[in-house]
Coordinates of all heavy atoms in Angstrom, one line a residue:
M1 N 21.8 -55.2 19.2 CA 21.9 -54.3 18.2 C 23.2 -53.5 18.3 O 23.9 -53.1 17.3 CB 20.7 -53.4 18.2 CG 20.8 -52.3 17.1 SD 19.2 -51.7 16.7 CE 19.6 -50.3 15.7
A2 N 23.6 -53.2 19.5 CA 24.9 -52.4 19.7 C 26.1 -53.2 19.2 O 26.9 -52.5 18.6 CB 25.1 -52.2 21.3
K3 N 26.1 -54.5 19.2 CA 27.2 -55.3 18.6 C 27.3 -55.0 17.2 O 28.3 -54.9 16.6 CB 27.0 -56.7 19.0 CG 28.2 -57.6 18.7 CD 28.0 -59.0 19.2 CE 29.2 -59.8 19.2 NZ 29.1 -61.1 19.8
I4 N 26.1 -55.0 16.4 CA 26.1 -54.8 15.0 C 26.7 -53.4 14.7 O 27.5 -53.2 13.8 CB 24.7 -55.0 14.5 CG1 24.2 -56.4 14.6 CG2 24.6 -54.5 13.0 CD1 22.7 -56.6 14.4
L5 N 26.2 -52.4 15.5 CA 26.6 -51.0 15.2 C 28.1 -50.9 15.5 O 28.8 -50.1 14.8 CB 25.8 -50.1 16.0 CG 24.3 -50.0 15.6 CD1 23.6 -49.1 16.7 CD2 24.2 -49.4 14.3
E6 N 28.7 -51.5 16.6 CA 30.0 -51.5 16.9 C 30.9 -51.9 15.7 O 31.9 -51.4 15.3 CB 30.4 -52.2 18.1 CG 29.9 -51.6 19.4 CD 30.1 -52.5 20.6 OE1 30.7 -53.6 20.4 OE2 29.7 -52.1 21.7
G7 N 30.4 -53.0 15.0 CA 31.1 -53.5 13.8 C 31.0 -52.5 12.7 O 32.0 -52.5 11.9
L8 N 30.0 -51.8 12.5 CA 29.9 -50.9 11.4 C 30.6 -49.5 11.7 O 31.0 -48.8 10.8 CB 28.4 -50.6 11.1 CG 27.7 -51.7 10.4 CD1 26.2 -51.4 10.3 CD2 28.3 -52.1 9.1
F9 N 30.6 -49.2 12.9 CA 31.2 -47.8 13.3 C 32.5 -47.9 14.1 O 32.8 -47.0 14.9 CB 30.1 -47.1 14.1 CG 28.9 -46.8 13.3 CD1 27.7 -47.5 13.5 CD2 28.8 -45.8 12.3 CE1 26.6 -47.3 12.7 CE2 27.8 -45.6 11.6 CZ 26.6 -46.3 11.8
D10 N 33.4 -48.8 13.8 CA 34.7 -48.9 14.4 C 35.5 -47.8 13.8 O 35.1 -47.1 12.8 CB 35.3 -50.2 14.3 CG 35.6 -50.6 12.9 OD1 35.3 -49.9 12.0 OD2 36.2 -51.7 12.8
K11 N 36.8 -47.6 14.2 CA 37.6 -46.5 13.8 C 37.8 -46.5 12.3 O 37.9 -45.5 11.7 CB 38.9 -46.6 14.5 CG 38.8 -46.6 16.1 CD 39.3 -45.3 16.6 CE 39.3 -45.3 18.1 NZ 38.1 -44.9 18.7
S12 N 37.9 -47.7 11.7 CA 38.1 -47.8 10.3 C 36.9 -47.5 9.4 O 37.0 -47.2 8.3 CB 38.8 -49.1 9.9 OG 38.0 -50.2 10.2
G13 N 35.7 -47.6 10.0 CA 34.5 -47.5 9.2 C 34.2 -48.7 8.4 O 35.0 -49.7 8.3
P14 N 33.1 -48.8 7.8 CA 32.6 -50.0 7.1 C 33.4 -50.1 5.8 O 33.7 -49.0 5.1 CB 31.2 -49.7 6.8 CG 30.9 -48.3 6.8 CD 32.0 -47.8 7.9
S15 N 33.8 -51.3 5.4 CA 34.5 -51.5 4.2 C 33.5 -51.5 3.0 O 32.3 -51.8 3.2 CB 35.3 -52.8 4.2 OG 34.5 -53.9 4.3
K16 N 34.0 -51.5 1.8 CA 33.1 -51.7 0.7 C 32.5 -53.1 0.7 O 31.3 -53.2 0.3 CB 34.0 -51.5 -0.6 CG 34.3 -50.1 -0.9 CD 35.1 -50.0 -2.2 CE 35.6 -48.5 -2.4 NZ 36.3 -48.4 -3.7
R17 N 33.2 -54.0 1.2 CA 32.7 -55.4 1.3 C 31.5 -55.4 2.3 O 30.4 -56.0 2.0 CB 33.7 -56.3 1.8 CG 33.3 -57.7 1.9 CD 34.4 -58.6 2.3 NE 33.9 -60.0 2.4 CZ 34.5 -61.0 3.1 NH1 35.7 -60.7 3.7 NH2 34.0 -62.2 3.2
D18 N 31.6 -54.7 3.4 CA 30.6 -54.6 4.4 C 29.3 -54.0 3.7 O 28.2 -54.5 4.0 CB 31.0 -53.8 5.6 CG 32.0 -54.4 6.4 OD1 32.2 -55.7 6.4 OD2 32.8 -53.7 7.1
I19 N 29.5 -53.0 3.0 CA 28.3 -52.2 2.4 C 27.7 -53.1 1.4 O 26.4 -53.3 1.3 CB 28.8 -50.9 1.8 CG1 29.2 -49.9 2.9 CG2 27.7 -50.3 0.9 CD1 29.9 -48.7 2.4
R20 N 28.5 -53.9 0.6 CA 28.0 -54.8 -0.4 C 27.1 -55.9 0.3 O 26.1 -56.2 -0.2 CB 29.1 -55.3 -1.2 CG 29.5 -54.4 -2.4 CD 30.4 -55.2 -3.4 NE 31.6 -55.8 -2.8 CZ 32.7 -55.1 -2.8 NH1 32.9 -53.9 -3.2 NH2 33.8 -55.8 -2.3
T21 N 27.7 -56.3 1.4 CA 27.0 -57.4 2.1 C 25.6 -56.9 2.6 O 24.6 -57.6 2.6 CB 27.8 -57.9 3.3 OG1 29.0 -58.4 2.9 CG2 27.1 -58.9 4.1
I22 N 25.5 -55.7 3.1 CA 24.3 -55.1 3.6 C 23.3 -55.0 2.4 O 22.2 -55.4 2.6 CB 24.5 -53.7 4.3 CG1 25.3 -53.9 5.5 CG2 23.2 -53.0 4.5 CD1 25.9 -52.6 6.1
L23 N 23.8 -54.5 1.3 CA 22.9 -54.3 0.2 C 22.4 -55.7 -0.3 O 21.3 -55.8 -0.8 CB 23.6 -53.4 -0.9 CG 23.9 -52.1 -0.5 CD1 24.7 -51.3 -1.6 CD2 22.7 -51.2 -0.2
K24 N 23.3 -56.6 -0.4 CA 23.0 -58.0 -0.8 C 21.9 -58.6 0.1 O 20.9 -59.2 -0.4 CB 24.2 -58.9 -0.9 CG 23.9 -60.2 -1.4 CD 25.1 -61.1 -1.4 CE 24.8 -62.5 -1.8 NZ 26.0 -63.4 -1.8
R25 N 22.1 -58.4 1.4 CA 21.0 -58.9 2.3 C 19.7 -58.3 2.1 O 18.7 -58.9 2.3 CB 21.6 -58.8 3.8 CG 22.7 -59.7 4.1 CD 23.2 -59.5 5.6 NE 22.1 -60.0 6.5 CZ 22.0 -59.7 7.7 NH1 23.0 -59.0 8.3 NH2 21.1 -60.2 8.4
K26 N 19.8 -57.0 1.8 CA 18.6 -56.3 1.6 C 17.8 -56.9 0.4 O 16.7 -57.1 0.3 CB 18.8 -54.8 1.3 CG 17.7 -54.0 0.8 CD 16.5 -54.0 1.7 CE 15.4 -53.1 1.2 NZ 14.1 -53.4 1.7
K27 N 18.6 -57.1 -0.7 CA 18.1 -57.7 -1.9 C 17.5 -59.1 -1.7 O 16.5 -59.4 -2.2 CB 19.1 -57.8 -3.0 CG 18.7 -58.0 -4.3 CD 19.8 -57.9 -5.3 CE 19.3 -57.9 -6.7 NZ 20.4 -57.8 -7.7
E28 N 18.1 -59.8 -0.8 CA 17.6 -61.2 -0.4 C 16.5 -61.2 0.5 O 16.0 -62.2 0.9 CB 18.8 -62.0 0.1 CG 19.9 -62.3 -0.9 CD 21.1 -63.0 -0.3 OE1 21.1 -63.1 1.1 OE2 21.9 -63.4 -1.0
G29 N 16.1 -60.0 1.0 CA 15.0 -59.9 1.9 C 15.3 -60.1 3.3 O 14.5 -60.2 4.2
K30 N 16.6 -60.2 3.7 CA 17.0 -60.4 5.1 C 17.2 -59.0 5.8 O 17.0 -59.0 7.0 CB 18.4 -61.1 5.1 CG 18.3 -62.5 4.6 CD 19.6 -63.2 4.6 CE 19.5 -64.6 4.0 NZ 20.9 -65.3 4.0
T31 N 17.4 -58.0 5.2 CA 17.6 -56.6 5.7 C 16.4 -55.8 5.5 O 16.0 -55.7 4.2 CB 18.9 -55.9 5.2 OG1 20.0 -56.7 5.6 CG2 18.9 -54.5 5.9
I32 N 15.7 -55.3 6.4 CA 14.4 -54.6 6.1 C 14.6 -53.1 6.0 O 13.9 -52.4 5.6 CB 13.4 -55.0 7.1 CG1 13.7 -54.6 8.6 CG2 13.0 -56.4 7.0 CD1 12.6 -54.7 9.6
C33 N 15.8 -52.6 6.5 CA 16.2 -51.2 6.6 C 17.6 -51.0 6.6 O 18.3 -51.7 7.3 CB 15.4 -50.5 7.7 SG 15.6 -48.7 7.7
Y34 N 18.1 -50.0 5.9 CA 19.5 -49.6 6.2 C 19.6 -48.1 6.0 O 18.7 -47.4 5.3 CB 20.5 -50.3 5.2 CG 20.4 -50.0 3.7 CD1 21.1 -48.9 3.2 CD2 19.5 -50.7 3.0 CE1 21.0 -48.6 1.9 CE2 19.4 -50.4 1.6 CZ 20.1 -49.3 1.1 OH 20.1 -49.0 -0.3
V35 N 20.6 -47.5 6.6 CA 21.0 -46.0 6.5 C 22.4 -46.0 6.1 O 23.2 -46.7 6.7 CB 20.7 -45.3 7.8 CG1 21.1 -43.9 7.7 CG2 19.3 -45.5 8.2
L36 N 22.8 -45.2 5.1 CA 24.1 -45.0 4.6 C 24.4 -43.6 4.6 O 23.7 -42.8 4.0 CB 24.2 -45.6 3.2 CG 25.6 -45.4 2.6 CD1 26.7 -46.2 3.2 CD2 25.5 -45.9 1.1
L37 N 25.4 -43.2 5.4 CA 25.9 -41.9 5.5 C 27.3 -41.8 4.9 O 28.1 -42.6 5.1 CB 26.0 -41.4 7.0 CG 24.8 -41.3 7.8 CD1 25.1 -41.2 9.3 CD2 23.9 -40.2 7.4
T38 N 27.4 -40.8 4.1 CA 28.7 -40.6 3.3 C 29.2 -39.2 3.4 O 28.3 -38.3 3.5 CB 28.6 -41.0 1.8 OG1 27.6 -40.4 1.2 CG2 28.4 -42.5 1.8
C39 N 30.5 -38.9 3.3 CA 30.9 -37.5 3.3 C 32.1 -37.4 2.4 O 32.8 -38.4 2.1 CB 31.2 -37.0 4.6 SG 32.6 -37.8 5.4
S40 N 32.4 -36.3 1.9 CA 33.6 -36.0 0.9 C 34.7 -35.5 1.8 O 34.5 -35.2 3.0 CB 33.2 -35.0 -0.1 OG 33.0 -33.8 0.5
E41 N 35.9 -35.4 1.2 CA 37.0 -34.8 2.0 C 36.6 -33.4 2.1 O 36.0 -32.8 1.3 CB 38.3 -35.0 1.1 CG 38.7 -36.5 1.2 CD 40.0 -36.6 0.4 OE1 40.9 -35.6 0.5 OE2 40.3 -37.7 0.0
P42 N 37.2 -32.7 3.2 CA 36.9 -31.2 3.4 C 37.5 -30.4 2.2 O 38.5 -30.7 1.6 CB 37.7 -30.9 4.7 CG 37.9 -32.2 5.3 CD 38.0 -33.3 4.2
N43 N 36.7 -29.4 1.9 CA 37.2 -28.4 0.9 C 38.2 -27.5 1.5 O 38.5 -27.6 2.7 CB 36.0 -27.5 0.4 CG 34.9 -28.4 -0.3 OD1 35.2 -29.4 -0.9 ND2 33.7 -28.0 -0.2
E44 N 38.7 -26.6 0.8 CA 39.7 -25.6 1.3 C 39.3 -24.8 2.4 O 39.9 -24.5 3.4 CB 40.2 -24.7 0.2 CG 41.0 -25.4 -0.9 CD 41.5 -24.5 -2.0 OE1 41.3 -23.2 -1.9 OE2 42.0 -25.0 -3.0
D45 N 37.8 -24.5 2.4 CA 37.3 -23.7 3.6 C 36.9 -24.6 4.6 O 36.3 -24.1 5.7 CB 36.1 -22.9 3.0 CG 35.0 -23.7 2.5 OD1 35.1 -25.0 2.4 OD2 34.0 -23.1 2.0
G46 N 37.1 -25.9 4.6 CA 36.8 -26.9 5.7 C 35.5 -27.4 5.7 O 35.1 -28.3 6.5
T47 N 34.7 -27.2 4.6 CA 33.3 -27.7 4.6 C 33.4 -29.1 3.8 O 34.2 -29.4 3.2 CB 32.3 -26.8 3.8 OG1 32.8 -26.6 2.5 CG2 32.3 -25.4 4.5
M48 N 32.4 -29.9 4.2 CA 32.3 -31.3 3.6 C 30.9 -31.4 3.1 O 29.9 -30.9 3.7 CB 32.6 -32.3 4.7 CG 33.9 -32.2 5.4 SD 34.2 -33.2 6.8 CE 33.8 -34.9 6.2
E49 N 30.8 -32.2 2.0 CA 29.5 -32.6 1.5 C 29.1 -33.9 2.2 O 29.9 -34.9 2.3 CB 29.6 -32.9 0.0 CG 30.0 -31.7 -0.8 CD 28.8 -30.9 -1.1 OE1 27.7 -31.3 -1.1 OE2 29.1 -29.6 -1.2
V50 N 27.9 -33.8 2.9 CA 27.4 -35.0 3.5 C 26.1 -35.5 3.0 O 25.3 -34.6 2.6 CB 27.2 -34.7 5.1 CG1 26.6 -35.9 5.8 CG2 28.5 -34.2 5.7
E51 N 26.0 -36.8 2.7 CA 24.7 -37.3 2.2 C 24.3 -38.4 3.1 O 25.0 -39.2 3.6 CB 25.0 -37.9 0.7 CG 25.3 -36.8 -0.3 CD 25.4 -37.4 -1.6 OE1 24.8 -38.4 -1.9 OE2 26.1 -36.8 -2.5
M52 N 22.9 -38.6 3.1 CA 22.4 -39.7 3.8 C 21.3 -40.4 2.9 O 20.5 -39.7 2.3 CB 21.7 -39.2 5.1 CG 21.1 -40.4 5.9 SD 20.2 -39.9 7.4 CE 18.5 -39.7 6.7
N53 N 21.5 -41.6 2.7 CA 20.4 -42.4 1.9 C 19.9 -43.5 2.9 O 20.7 -44.0 3.7 CB 21.1 -43.0 0.7 CG 21.6 -41.9 -0.2 OD1 20.8 -41.2 -0.8 ND2 22.9 -41.9 -0.5
Y54 N 18.7 -43.8 2.7 CA 18.1 -44.9 3.4 C 17.1 -45.6 2.6 O 16.5 -45.0 1.7 CB 17.5 -44.5 4.8 CG 16.3 -43.7 4.7 CD1 15.0 -44.4 4.7 CD2 16.2 -42.3 4.5 CE1 13.8 -43.7 4.6 CE2 15.0 -41.7 4.4 CZ 13.8 -42.3 4.4 OH 12.6 -41.7 4.3
E55 N 16.9 -46.9 2.9 CA 15.8 -47.6 2.3 C 15.1 -48.4 3.4 O 15.7 -49.0 4.3 CB 16.4 -48.6 1.3 CG 15.3 -49.2 0.4 CD 15.8 -50.0 -0.8 OE1 16.7 -49.4 -1.4 OE2 15.3 -51.0 -1.0
G56 N 13.8 -48.4 3.3 CA 12.9 -49.0 4.3 C 12.0 -48.0 4.9 O 11.9 -46.9 4.5
E57 N 11.4 -48.5 6.0 CA 10.4 -47.5 6.7 C 11.2 -46.4 7.3 O 12.2 -46.5 7.9 CB 9.7 -48.3 7.8 CG 8.8 -49.5 7.4 CD 7.6 -48.9 6.6 OE1 7.2 -47.9 6.8 OE2 7.1 -49.7 5.7
R58 N 10.5 -45.2 7.1 CA 11.2 -43.9 7.6 C 11.4 -44.0 9.0 O 12.4 -43.6 9.6 CB 10.3 -42.7 7.2 CG 10.9 -41.4 7.4 CD 9.9 -40.4 6.9 NE 10.6 -39.1 7.1 CZ 10.3 -38.0 6.5 NH1 9.3 -38.0 5.6 NH2 11.0 -36.9 6.7
W59 N 10.5 -44.4 9.8 CA 10.5 -44.4 11.2 C 11.6 -45.4 11.8 O 12.3 -45.2 12.7 CB 9.2 -44.9 11.9 CG 8.7 -46.2 11.5 CD1 7.9 -46.6 10.6 CD2 9.1 -47.5 12.3 NE1 7.6 -47.9 10.5 CE2 8.4 -48.5 11.6 CE3 9.8 -47.8 13.4 CZ2 8.5 -49.8 12.0 CZ3 10.0 -49.1 13.7 CH2 9.3 -50.2 13.1
L60 N 11.8 -46.5 11.0 CA 12.9 -47.5 11.3 C 14.2 -46.9 11.1 O 15.2 -47.1 11.8 CB 12.7 -48.8 10.6 CG 13.6 -50.0 10.9 CD1 13.7 -50.2 12.5 CD2 13.2 -51.2 10.3
A61 N 14.4 -46.2 9.9 CA 15.6 -45.5 9.6 C 16.0 -44.5 10.7 O 17.2 -44.4 11.1 CB 15.6 -44.9 8.2
A62 N 14.9 -43.7 11.2 CA 15.2 -42.8 12.2 C 15.6 -43.5 13.5 O 16.6 -43.0 14.2 CB 13.9 -41.9 12.4
Y63 N 15.1 -44.6 13.8 CA 15.4 -45.4 15.0 C 16.9 -45.8 14.8 O 17.7 -45.8 15.8 CB 14.5 -46.5 15.2 CG 14.9 -47.5 16.2 CD1 14.8 -47.2 17.6 CD2 15.6 -48.7 16.0 CE1 15.1 -48.0 18.6 CE2 16.0 -49.5 16.9 CZ 15.7 -49.1 18.3 OH 16.3 -50.0 19.3
L64 N 17.3 -46.3 13.7 CA 18.6 -46.7 13.5 C 19.7 -45.6 13.7 O 20.7 -45.7 14.3 CB 18.8 -47.3 12.1 CG 18.2 -48.6 11.8 CD1 18.3 -49.0 10.3 CD2 18.7 -49.8 12.7
V65 N 19.3 -44.4 13.2 CA 20.2 -43.2 13.3 C 20.3 -42.9 14.8 O 21.4 -42.6 15.3 CB 19.8 -42.1 12.5 CG1 20.5 -40.8 12.7 CG2 19.9 -42.4 11.0
K66 N 19.2 -42.9 15.4 CA 19.2 -42.5 16.9 C 20.0 -43.5 17.6 O 20.8 -43.1 18.6 CB 17.8 -42.3 17.4 CG 17.6 -41.9 18.8 CD 16.2 -41.6 19.2 CE 16.1 -41.1 20.6 NZ 14.8 -40.8 21.0
S67 N 19.8 -44.8 17.4 CA 20.5 -45.7 18.2 C 22.0 -45.7 17.8 O 22.8 -45.9 18.8 CB 20.0 -47.2 17.7 OG 18.7 -47.4 18.0
A68 N 22.4 -45.5 16.6 CA 23.8 -45.3 16.2 C 24.4 -44.1 17.0 O 25.6 -44.1 17.4 CB 24.0 -45.1 14.8
Q69 N 23.6 -43.0 17.1 CA 24.1 -41.8 17.8 C 24.4 -42.1 19.3 O 25.4 -41.7 19.9 CB 23.1 -40.7 17.8 CG 23.6 -39.4 18.5 CD 24.8 -38.8 17.8 OE1 24.8 -38.6 16.6 NE2 25.8 -38.6 18.5
G70 N 23.6 -43.0 19.9 CA 23.8 -43.3 21.3 C 25.1 -44.2 21.4 O 25.8 -44.0 22.4
V71 N 25.3 -45.1 20.5 CA 26.6 -45.8 20.5 C 27.8 -44.9 20.4 O 28.8 -45.1 21.2 CB 26.5 -46.9 19.5 CG1 27.9 -47.6 19.4 CG2 25.5 -48.0 19.7
L72 N 27.8 -44.0 19.5 CA 28.9 -43.1 19.3 C 29.1 -42.2 20.4 O 30.2 -41.9 20.8 CB 28.7 -42.2 18.1 CG 28.6 -43.0 16.7 CD1 28.2 -42.0 15.6 CD2 30.0 -43.6 16.4
D73 N 28.0 -41.7 21.1 CA 28.1 -40.8 22.3 C 28.8 -41.6 23.5 O 29.5 -41.0 24.1 CB 26.7 -40.4 22.7 CG 26.2 -39.3 21.8 OD1 27.0 -38.7 20.9 OD2 25.0 -39.0 21.8
E74 N 28.6 -42.9 23.6 CA 29.2 -43.6 24.6 C 30.7 -43.7 24.4 O 31.5 -43.7 25.4 CB 28.6 -45.1 24.7 CG 27.3 -45.2 25.0 CD 26.7 -46.6 24.9 OE1 27.5 -47.5 24.6 OE2 25.5 -46.8 25.3
D75 N 31.2 -43.7 23.2 CA 32.6 -43.8 22.8 C 33.3 -42.5 22.9 O 34.6 -42.5 22.9 CB 32.8 -44.5 21.4 CG 32.4 -45.9 21.4 OD1 32.3 -46.5 22.5 OD2 32.0 -46.4 20.3
L76 N 32.6 -41.4 22.8 CA 33.2 -40.1 22.7 C 33.1 -39.4 24.1 O 32.1 -39.5 24.7 CB 32.6 -39.3 21.6 CG 32.7 -39.8 20.2 CD1 31.9 -38.9 19.2 CD2 34.1 -39.8 19.7
E77 N 34.0 -38.5 24.3 CA 34.0 -37.8 25.5 C 33.8 -36.3 25.0 O 34.5 -35.8 24.3 CB 35.2 -37.8 26.4 CG 35.4 -39.2 26.9 CD 36.8 -39.2 27.7 OE1 37.1 -38.3 28.3 OE2 37.3 -40.4 27.8
F78 N 32.7 -35.7 25.6 CA 32.4 -34.3 25.3 C 32.7 -33.4 26.4 O 32.6 -33.7 27.5 CB 30.9 -34.1 24.9 CG 30.6 -34.7 23.5 CD1 29.9 -35.9 23.5 CD2 30.9 -34.0 22.4 CE1 29.6 -36.5 22.3 CE2 30.6 -34.6 21.2 CZ 29.9 -35.8 21.1

């Protein structure tokens, strides 16, 4: 699973093609859950609009987010 997440969360982020592939796989029944996080560019005051959409079981979406956080934490130094 970490390998999949590394591909989605590299420095450049997922491409539109990657997102279309995920959605196509979902439609074909190959993907049982996905989570999509998006944000806008910062406003003048520095705030950003952040949205999260998911499809699939709620508990599985939560697991994906938690797993992704673990991968990101490994790459970042706090």
Side-chain angles (χ1 to χ4, degrees):
M1 179 154 175
K3 191 172 191 179
I4 294 169
L5 292 174
E6 286 173 6
L8 290 176
F9 295 104
D10 64 358
K11 303 251 187 275
S12 63
S15 67
K16 289 181 181 180
R17 182 179 178 197
D18 294 333
I19 293 170
R20 279 193 299 269
T21 299
I22 291 168
L23 296 176
K24 182 180 176 186
R25 289 181 69 195
K26 170 62 179 158
K27 193 173 190 178
E28 293 172 351
K30 295 179 183 176
T31 301
I32 58 171
C33 184
Y34 68 88
V35 178
L36 179 63
L37 296 167
T38 58
C39 65
S40 66
E41 292 186 24
N43 296 330
E44 290 178 11
D45 62 359
T47 60
M48 298 169 62
E49 296 284 327
V50 178
E51 292 184 28
M52 181 183 92
N53 296 298
Y54 72 93
E55 189 168 316
E57 296 289 336
R58 187 177 186 161
W59 63 268
L60 186 52
Y63 173 78
L64 292 174
V65 171
K66 186 174 181 178
S67 297
Q69 183 63 53
V71 171
L72 293 173
D73 287 345
E74 290 174 6
D75 292 339
L76 300 173
E77 295 180 26
F78 288 100

